[in-house]
Amino acid sequence: MAAAATSARSAAPSSQPVRVVLRVRPFLPSEATSAAAPCVSLLGSHPGSEVTVQLKDQHTSRSEHYKLDAFFGQEDSISQIFDREVSTVIQGIFEGVNATVFAYGATGSGKTYTMQGTEDFPGLIPLAASTVLALCTGTWCSVEISYYEVYMERCYDLLEPKAKEIMALDDKDGNMQLKGLSWVPVRSMEEFQELYSIGVQRRKVAHTGLNDVSSRSHAVLSLRVSADVVKGRINLIDLAGSEDNRRTFNEGIRLQESAKINQSLFTLSNVISALNKNELRIPYRESKLTRILQDSLGGSSRAVMIACLNPAEYQESVNTVSLAARSRHIGNFTSSASKQETPKVKVDMEAKLRAWLESKGKTKSIQRMDGLFSPIASKTPFSVSHMKQPASSRISCRSKAMDQDGGKIKKILFDPEVHVPTEKIPREHMQNEVNTPKKVLPSVTQCKEKHEASLRKALSPISSNVVPTNQQISDNVNCAILLEPQTPIETSKIEKIPGATLLDKFNALGSNLKEALVQQYLDFLNVANKEELQQLKGIGVRRAEYILELREESPTPFKTLADLENIGLSSKQIQDILRKTASGIFK
Ligand SMILES: Nc1ncnc2c1ncn2[C@@H]1O[C@H](COP(=O)(O)OP(=O)(O)OP(=O)(O)O)[C@@H](O)[C@H]1O
């Protein structure tokens, strides 16, 4: 019998490295009338092990079941979550066991409320701070905090007056260090609250004017306990909201932001999944967030993932819970009753791909796949790190860093809705605004209607790109550039680098176009319908169907070119496809 979504049930914490728990927020006043019942409910729990939850779409009766470590319903308080899930890991940091607690979920699902709370109902962050401080009282232990955000794979110190960017560098042991990150001692809750609330405001001030960036960054509050030497640390993270770009219609810089968010969340899930499966290779290095958290995720560290749900959003909840369940490496299953309602039953995708490859006699692909799924698999030669790290150099690295600044400036220039007080724009951005020739930059709105069409056109069957009219050529080329809006800023900035040559400038442009093409190709695979997919070279009916099934599992299964191995495309095939697409544009 299904228990009400509001009952508090949770399994006692286990010794697994990462616990994955569900948190359903109450309906907001604006949602109360539109949804009679929450889309998620607790089906059963087994003390000491796990819970089973049901997600049900009120409109279609479609339903899915998942197993997780604990369930917190609409009436459960944050302090209940704290007592059951967080207080135990706090004890560990005094014994040198690092911990990470993070809230994951779609925008508006209650992550910030859970982590930050309100004045009347403090969230997990203030509760953790007060517990740590209380445990230090009367001991030699001292407490320090740091607070930073990861935005577009770059880190900003929120305890510094100007949300200073901090560099993430490997130390001699291969561990990531945030160079220059402030660690501020706190002795009381008053001191903590003062620092924390300033940091929270800074997070908003730093990026709100640049279009909702506060919900587009991962914010990490760390508490570090030391006696003579550092004992341990807990990271409390309010992750950026996951996004489905088919629904948000993101484009331009927002699409890039969203891609980075989804990519880093996907990597985080892969890391957790690999940890829970005890794999030898943990893909920490595939995102900034997981690199930074490497010493707090895995090894002897403990972590708790709190998957937050909006009770009124079925599909969004399915996306969140399926990723959470995948992180826990406990596959979801569909009840026989709902199998009839739900034609697309979840299956083991790896087994399915294997069977499909076998049926096609693709033994080489199966061997490749074996390598891919092996725990000691090495990176594919065509992995994203290769794509994003131009062979040369210093100039290219710098140009990549500038790329993002350029994006922000452009947003300010072209979005009439955005009014950023000049004192809130970092000085280097103001400098760029003055120097950036507005006229030559393409407007996002001009490109808006062309965006999808040009994307489809650029990636349409190779044959249709072969003899475009002159107009088509210019449309394609323009849109390739429009879709990579930073390029004009990029090249103008390259010019200012002492010693930069014309060749550096050209290389920077080429590298950006290549990245843009790759990104568009991946985006296309993430959004195109079956017919459109089939028109792509190398993707027939079966592969198109398989792609759609992968998208059922995860809203954006293709984050990097390496993900294309999952559909049985070799790196050589991918290179050929992209090369032909690019040459089609310039014919
Ligand atoms: N347990 C709760 N009780 C009451 N209101 C809640 C609760 N959880 C969330 N809310 C409300 O729901 C709304 C969305 O919550 P919140 O801002 O925390 O979402 P979020 O996931 O952090 O979104 P974003 O990704 O955009 O930052 C807010 O108005 C918040 O006050």
Side-chain angles (χ1 to χ4, degrees):
M1 246 308 255
T6 48
S7 346
R9 299 282 171 84
S10 73
S14 70
S15 59
Q16 76 195 66
V18 184
R19 278 177 62 77
V20 181
V21 309
L22 219 58
R23 183 327 177 249
V24 186
R25 71 157 167 78
F27 285 114
L28 301 179
S30 58
E31 298 159 345
T33 48
S34 61
C39 64
V40 56
S41 59
L42 178 68
L43 268 191
S45 65
H46 315 282
S49 56
E50 60 194 11
V51 295
T52 306
V53 295
Q54 179 185 47
L55 281 107
K56 188 162 185 179
D57 187 352
Q58 305 299 331
H59 306 294
T60 62
S61 302
R62 180 181 172 159
S63 79
E64 301 193 31
H65 299 167
Y66 295 88
K67 289 190 174 189
L68 297 145
D69 291 306
F71 176 85
F72 296 91
Q74 293 183 308
E75 284 178 359
D76 292 331
S77 65
I78 297 172
S79 56
Q80 280 173 288
I81 305 177
F82 182 80
D83 291 344
R84 280 183 170 274
E85 303 293 339
V86 185
S87 61
T88 46
V89 297
I90 285 182
Q91 281 157 21
I93 65 175
F94 286 85
E95 290 146 25
V97 180
N98 290 339
T100 298
V101 176
F102 51 92
Y104 169 82
T107 297
S109 58
K111 298 180 297 293
T112 306
Y113 191 98
T114 303
M115 299 309 291
Q116 198 175 302
T118 63
E119 218 164 291
D120 294 334
F121 302 104
L124 297 179
I125 289 174
L127 288 174
S130 75
T131 304
V132 168
L133 285 165
L135 286 168
C136 286
T137 310
T139 72
W140 292 105
C141 289
S142 60
V143 182
E144 295 162 296
I145 69 165
S146 71
Y147 191 28
Y148 60 92
E149 65 182 342
V150 182
Y151 169 67
M152 296 276 281
E153 295 292 276
R154 297 169 78 174
C155 305
Y156 298 88
D157 191 338
L158 294 171
L159 296 182
E160 284 286 322
K162 284 197 169 177
K164 187 183 77 172
E165 183 178 356
I166 35 179
M167 290 298 139
L169 302 171
D170 281 328
D171 66 14
K172 61 180 175 16
D173 301 320
N175 294 322
M176 171 74 74
Q177 300 293 337
L178 290 176
K179 211 166 166 48
L181 176 68
S182 335
W183 283 96
V184 183
V186 287
R187 285 169 296 267
S188 66
M189 268 313 276
E190 287 71 34
E191 285 182 8
F192 172 82
Q193 288 289 17
E194 196 180 328
L195 282 169
Y196 178 51
S197 57
I198 290 172
V200 165
Q201 280 175 25
R202 236 167 236 153
R203 186 186 177 196
K204 287 199 176 94
V205 167
H207 295 125
T208 299
L210 303 177
N211 206 358
D212 274 339
V213 177
S214 65
S215 62
R216 300 186 147 264
S217 68
H218 310 304
V220 184
L221 184 290
S222 298
L223 293 159
R224 185 164 78 178
V225 175
S226 319
D228 287 338
V229 290
V230 173
K231 281 180 171 293
R233 187 174 87 196
I234 182 167
N235 306 303
L236 299 136
I237 310 175
D238 182 6
L239 289 172
S242 56
E243 291 196 351
D244 181 347
N245 286 314
R246 283 168 296 180
R247 290 167 62 202
T248 56
F249 300 106
N250 279 337
E251 60 179 18
I253 186 71
R254 297 206 60 161
L255 193 60
Q256 290 178 34
E257 283 174 356
S258 184
K260 295 271 191 238
I261 291 169
N262 286 343
Q263 186 178 327
S264 62
L265 293 174
F266 187 67
T267 303
L268 182 63
S269 152
N270 287 341
V271 164
I272 295 166
S273 169
L275 286 171
N276 279 344
K277 281 195 266 181
N278 237 344
E279 285 183 357
L280 291 178
R281 181 182 171 273
I282 312 292
Y284 290 114
R285 302 190 74 80
E286 289 175 14
S287 86
K288 185 64 72 67
L289 184 70
T290 48
R291 285 183 79 191
I292 293 168
L293 297 177
Q294 184 163 348
D295 62 352
S296 301
L297 280 173
S300 62
S301 306
R302 288 278 167 266
V304 183
M305 173 187 202
I306 302 170
C308 297
L309 302 186
N310 172 346
E313 288 293 337
Y314 168 77
Q315 191 51 52
E316 205 176 82
S317 299
V318 168
N319 295 343
T320 299
V321 180
S322 57
L323 188 134
R326 172 176 170 271
S327 305
R328 189 173 172 259
H329 186 49
I330 295 210
N332 62 311
F333 58 89
T334 311
S335 68
S336 52
S338 57
K339 265 182 192 166
Q340 286 154 3
E341 299 158 3
T342 313
K344 285 178 184 165
V345 180
K346 297 276 185 281
V347 289
D348 179 342
M349 287 299 170
E350 186 185 332
K352 192 166 177 193
L353 175 60
R354 199 179 293 275
W356 177 65
L357 290 170
E358 268 167 11
S359 75
K360 305 276 276 186
K362 295 193 179 245
T363 44
K364 274 194 185 163
S365 297
I366 294 171
Q367 281 161 10
R368 249 196 333 265
M369 200 178 136
D370 286 334
L372 186 74
F373 288 111
S374 143
I376 51 167
S378 57
K379 258 176 172 267
T380 63
F382 213 64
S383 72
V384 73
S385 60
H386 283 70
M387 283 306 300
K388 293 200 171 171
Q389 294 214 346
S392 62
S393 74
R394 205 164 50 88
I395 296 281
S396 300
C397 288
R398 286 197 199 185
S399 68
K400 189 173 172 225
M402 289 170 178
D403 187 289
Q404 291 157 357
D405 290 346
K408 288 178 197 166
I409 300 154
K410 186 175 176 306
K411 196 69 198 157
I412 297 168
L413 289 176
F414 288 101
D415 191 341
E417 302 295 320
V418 175
H419 303 288
V420 180
T422 45
E423 69 275 14
K424 288 178 185 161
I425 305 174
R427 193 174 307 156
E428 70 271 27
H429 292 184
M430 291 173 64
Q431 179 94 32
N432 280 318
E433 185 170 358
V434 172
N435 291 338
T436 304
K438 279 191 192 183
K439 277 186 300 192
V440 300
L441 290 172
S443 134
V444 170
T445 41
Q446 275 171 359
C447 193
K448 188 176 177 182
E449 282 151 21
K450 280 188 185 173
H451 182 155
E452 216 176 17
S454 64
L455 174 59
R456 286 166 206 269
K457 197 187 290 177
L459 297 171
S460 64
I462 304 300
S463 57
S464 73
N465 276 342
V466 171
V467 197
T469 63
N470 286 344
Q471 185 55 46
Q472 280 170 326
I473 294 171
S474 68
D475 277 354
N476 277 342
V477 174
N478 283 341
C479 265
I481 293 165
L482 293 176
L483 291 166
E484 179 51 46
Q486 299 88 336
T487 301
I489 293 171
E490 174 93 12
T491 44
S492 72
K493 288 181 98 174
I494 279 277
E495 281 171 346
K496 292 185 196 121
I497 296 173
T501 63
L502 269 178
L503 185 61
D504 291 326
K505 191 174 152 190
F506 183 73
N507 283 342
L509 182 69
S511 140
N512 272 350
L513 284 172
K514 188 173 166 189
E515 280 201 27
L517 179 62
V518 168
Q519 192 55 54
Q520 299 306 319
Y521 186 75
L522 294 171
D523 288 340
F524 186 84
L525 291 179
N526 284 324
V527 301
N529 64 29
K530 188 174 161 192
E531 287 66 39
E532 290 164 340
L533 285 169
Q534 278 173 243
Q535 288 172 33
L536 279 183
K537 187 172 165 26
I539 301 199
V541 186
R542 302 285 292 278
R543 202 173 251 139
E545 280 169 2
Y546 180 58
I547 289 171
L548 295 182
E549 279 173 358
L550 283 176
R551 293 201 324 225
E552 289 270 307
E553 286 281 294
S554 156
T556 46
F558 304 104
K559 313 284 195 267
T560 71
L561 286 175
D563 293 334
L564 300 185
E565 293 263 6
N566 293 339
I567 54 169
L569 285 175
S570 68
S571 53
K572 184 175 177 318
Q573 282 173 303
I574 299 162
Q575 287 188 36
D576 281 345
I577 291 170
L578 291 173
R579 198 174 293 125
K580 282 178 182 159
T581 304
S583 67
I585 291 171
F586 295 106
K587 267 181 188 164

